[in-house]
Amino acid sequence: MDFKKINSILISVFDKEGLAELLPAFKQHNVKIYSTGGTYTFIKERGFDAIEVEEITSFPSILGGRVKTLHPGVFGGILARRAIEKDQQELAQYHIPEIDAVMVDLYPFEATVASSSDESAIIEKIDIGGVSLIRAAAKNHKDVLIIPSKRQYYFLHQVMFQQNASTSLADRQAMARAAFAETTHYDGAIRNWMMKDESLRYGENPHQKALFNGEFENLFEQLNGKAISYNNLLDMDAAMNLIIEFNKPTVAVLKHNNACGIASAENGLQAWEKALAGDPVAAFGGVVVSNVTIDLAMATAIHPIFLEVLIAPSYTEDALQLLKEKKNRIILLQKNIYVPQARQKRTILNGSLEQDYDNFMVDMRGLNSVTGVEASESQLADLQFANKVVKHLKSNAIALIKNEQLIGSGCGQTSRVDALYSAINKAKQFNFDLSGAVMASDAFFPFPDCVEIADKAGINAIVQPGGSLKDQASIDYCTEHKMAMYMSGHRHFRH
């Protein structure tokens, strides 16, 4: 377990609530306390011994307290590796004491921002030494325990009163993870405040404040239109992640992060016309992305439609002149190849989630139908197209495709059957013939009801991940009704 006894601790905390209860335990276990400024005074006023950091550094606190602990005499004692003889020799040479634990609570930067508009007061609450102490102790967690904020005081209480002032390596690793999370959050708050002049108009709704952290100008040049909003950015992100799946001339129309229309064709104009036909009602106020140049013919077809954002790798001069007639229309030139970030992050509960970006796409040419009935060459192309589209729809999701055109989609449904009905109804609303169309599902069919509904609508080729305990029931139905069904083995949930 690699237990280590705490023989010394450096304490530098803004919030001192809970510290007084620990002082008797430090005394009981003969823990030597090093401290700074107000924390040192707090400890001494309660009748306990402490050593001022200045006794280690032989240097006073300067610049109004801005520089107190930033000294080799302090950081050497934290960062020295106990198992490396040279480190120990250098500590002895320079008379640097080992520090076994560090307890920090940073200046309340976020609280100061929330309560004050005084820039100088806010800047003074940017903690420098405390963050450095946290990172140093966390880095050397093999030997040193870090308590990075008041939220972890409880753990030090547990160590002192229940663990005989000793910690395991697992204990120290857990606190090191908390430490780096603390400094990441703290630095992010500072960065957000310093980018206050780059705030968005508002967040998802007008009563929410919002900020974009990133390098937008590396990817896009804005050629026209109003300021870009939070919701615009979300739709643009969804649009770019979708369009990079396609090599043929392709145009997509998105609303609320989902494609309401997408099609591939011989040229951009045809792709636009097919994409718009998929749902001309939902296209109103949407985000349009093209992977080919927008020329005058294409711009003439697009121009009458109210669109929030238009994205393309290039525009002809006459096309751009026409499109700019609508002053609020955001026109973006994609300057560089878009490569999605390798890791996706979300904040949840009192923490965050991270995962790899979903960059997998099965090649339909490498699959065989599980029913013995194979799709035609054109249907295989449609199945490939459908699987790319459904990957980028919110789950539960169904995409219906015919001739490389989205003719019906169901997304964000709590039931896969509901998603399918939604897709079929959408196709019928705009008078699409589903005979010979194909279907893609982002996840398996738990029952054969979906394949039966699809069959009765005229769909006779399906791609889905498979993996249900009742896969065979869907396979049996498709076999009996001479439907092609392919199982990709890869789910594409999107929440």
Side-chain angles (χ1 to χ4, degrees):
M1 295 292 287
D2 195 16
F3 273 90
K4 287 188 178 292
K5 178 80 162 54
I6 296 175
N7 294 307
S8 60
I9 186 169
L10 171 60
I11 306 175
S12 179
V13 295
F14 184 87
D15 191 330
K16 298 168 183 63
E17 185 176 352
L19 176 57
E21 290 83 351
L22 288 165
L23 296 176
F26 292 144
K27 182 176 182 179
Q28 177 186 346
H29 291 284
N30 297 315
V31 176
K32 186 177 291 186
I33 299 173
Y34 299 97
S35 194
T36 62
T39 307
Y40 172 81
T41 301
F42 178 92
I43 294 169
K44 295 293 288 183
E45 286 177 347
R46 279 150 185 80
F48 292 90
D49 290 335
I51 299 169
E52 285 191 280
V53 165
E54 286 86 342
E55 290 190 31
I56 302 176
T57 64
S58 299
F59 208 91
S61 172
I62 62 171
L63 307 181
R66 281 189 165 198
V67 181
K68 290 180 287 200
T69 58
L70 297 169
H71 191 280
V74 174
F75 282 84
I78 297 169
L79 286 164
R81 293 156 291 189
R82 296 350 184 214
I84 295 182
E85 185 177 348
K86 189 172 188 300
D87 284 12
Q88 297 304 302
Q89 289 173 349
E90 289 180 349
L91 290 185
Q93 179 181 354
Y94 296 107
H95 307 289
I96 298 172
E98 287 184 348
I99 296 174
D100 301 321
V102 176
M103 181 181 181
V104 174
D105 185 62
L106 299 172
Y107 291 159
F109 178 82
E110 289 177 282
T112 305
V113 170
S115 63
S116 174
S117 59
D118 183 343
E119 184 169 305
S120 62
I122 292 170
I123 288 174
E124 287 309 310
K125 286 298 185 287
I126 297 176
D127 205 313
I128 303 301
V131 171
S132 301
L133 290 171
I134 290 172
R135 292 180 62 84
K139 175 176 180 175
N140 201 27
H141 64 266
K142 185 175 181 181
D143 296 308
V144 177
L145 172 69
I146 176 62
I147 301 298
S149 80
K150 60 185 177 183
R151 288 180 291 279
Q152 287 80 37
Y153 287 3
Y154 77 93
F155 182 74
L156 185 56
H157 192 280
Q158 174 182 313
V159 168
M160 298 309 300
F161 289 96
Q162 299 177 31
Q163 297 181 196
N164 197 33
S166 298
T167 61
S168 67
L169 179 58
D171 290 336
R172 298 190 296 278
Q173 287 173 332
M175 287 297 103
R177 288 193 293 270
F180 287 117
E182 181 71 22
T183 57
T184 298
H185 176 84
Y186 195 80
D187 288 342
I190 296 168
R191 183 175 187 270
N192 288 346
W193 175 75
M194 298 192 79
M195 292 181 68
K196 58 186 180 295
D197 294 333
E198 300 181 38
S199 297
L200 301 172
R201 284 178 291 158
Y202 52 79
E204 203 160 5
N205 300 292
H207 61 274
Q208 294 172 269
K209 294 180 180 180
L211 181 73
F212 172 69
N213 294 319
E215 297 175 339
F216 183 86
E217 295 78 11
N218 287 353
L219 184 59
F220 296 116
E221 178 183 351
Q222 184 169 351
L223 306 177
N224 188 69
K226 61 188 178 182
I228 293 169
S229 73
Y230 180 96
N231 290 331
N232 290 155
L233 287 165
L234 290 177
D235 283 333
M236 289 158 51
D237 179 68
M240 294 304 297
N241 286 322
L242 173 61
I243 201 69
I244 61 172
E245 300 275 5
F246 300 90
N247 295 317
K248 289 177 64 175
T250 302
V251 175
V253 187
L254 288 91
K255 286 285 285 291
H256 301 293
N257 309 160
N258 290 296
C260 56
I262 182 169
S264 294
E266 292 302 313
N267 56 60
L269 175 59
Q270 293 175 5
W272 159 252
E273 291 173 339
K274 290 172 66 178
L276 178 63
D279 191 338
V281 175
F284 182 86
V287 169
V288 170
V289 60
S290 170
N291 65 358
V292 294
T293 298
I294 294 180
D295 59 17
L296 181 59
M298 190 173 173
T300 301
I302 291 172
H303 188 57
I305 309 298
F306 169 64
L307 301 171
E308 282 276 334
V309 182
L310 185 58
I311 305 170
S314 59
Y315 303 82
T316 61
E317 283 297 324
D318 48 4
L320 195 56
Q321 184 177 354
L322 175 63
L323 293 168
K324 281 184 174 182
E325 288 181 1
K326 296 191 176 179
K327 301 304 180 185
N328 284 334
R329 177 185 284 153
I330 297 167
I331 301 175
L332 298 177
L333 173 69
Q334 183 186 341
K335 300 185 333 188
N336 294 301
I337 294 172
Y338 171 64
V339 179
Q341 296 184 51
R343 299 282 288 175
Q344 296 178 310
K345 301 177 183 179
R346 285 187 178 184
T347 57
I348 64 158
L349 302 175
N350 62 342
S352 62
L353 287 174
E354 290 190 30
Q355 67 170 355
D356 294 338
Y357 178 80
D358 181 5
N359 60 8
F360 179 84
M361 179 48 58
V362 71
D363 185 345
M364 291 299 303
R365 295 170 298 180
L367 300 181
N368 294 313
S369 173
V370 295
T371 65
V373 178
E374 296 292 338
S376 66
E377 283 297 315
S378 64
Q379 283 184 318
L380 276 177
D382 279 349
L383 286 166
Q384 188 76 65
F385 190 99
N387 215 24
K388 291 177 179 180
V389 172
V390 83
K391 170 184 171 182
H392 293 275
L393 295 174
K394 293 289 182 72
S395 301
N396 288 310
I398 294 287
L400 305 181
I401 305 295
K402 191 172 183 179
N403 300 323
E404 294 184 306
Q405 177 187 21
L406 178 63
I407 61 173
S409 65
C411 51
Q413 300 296 315
T414 53
S415 158
R416 196 156 302 281
V417 169
D418 287 345
L420 177 53
Y421 277 131
S422 178
I424 291 171
N425 291 337
K426 183 69 72 173
K428 289 180 177 178
Q429 180 183 352
F430 298 109
N431 301 313
F432 286 106
D433 179 8
L434 286 168
S435 299
V438 308
M439 176 173 78
S441 174
D442 66 332
F444 64 61
F445 302 122
F447 305 101
D449 46 8
C450 281
V451 296
E452 182 178 352
I453 294 166
D455 174 40
K456 291 178 178 177
I459 296 160
N460 58 10
I462 298 168
V463 60
Q464 56 123 332
S468 168
L469 293 175
K470 297 186 178 181
D471 272 349
Q472 194 59 47
S474 293
I475 293 170
D476 290 345
Y477 182 93
C478 291
T479 302
E480 181 182 349
H481 292 82
K482 296 181 172 51
M483 301 169 70
M485 184 162 67
Y486 299 82
M487 292 188 176
S488 67
H490 289 268
R491 188 180 72 188
H492 291 294
F493 269 167
R494 185 164 175 256
H495 294 101

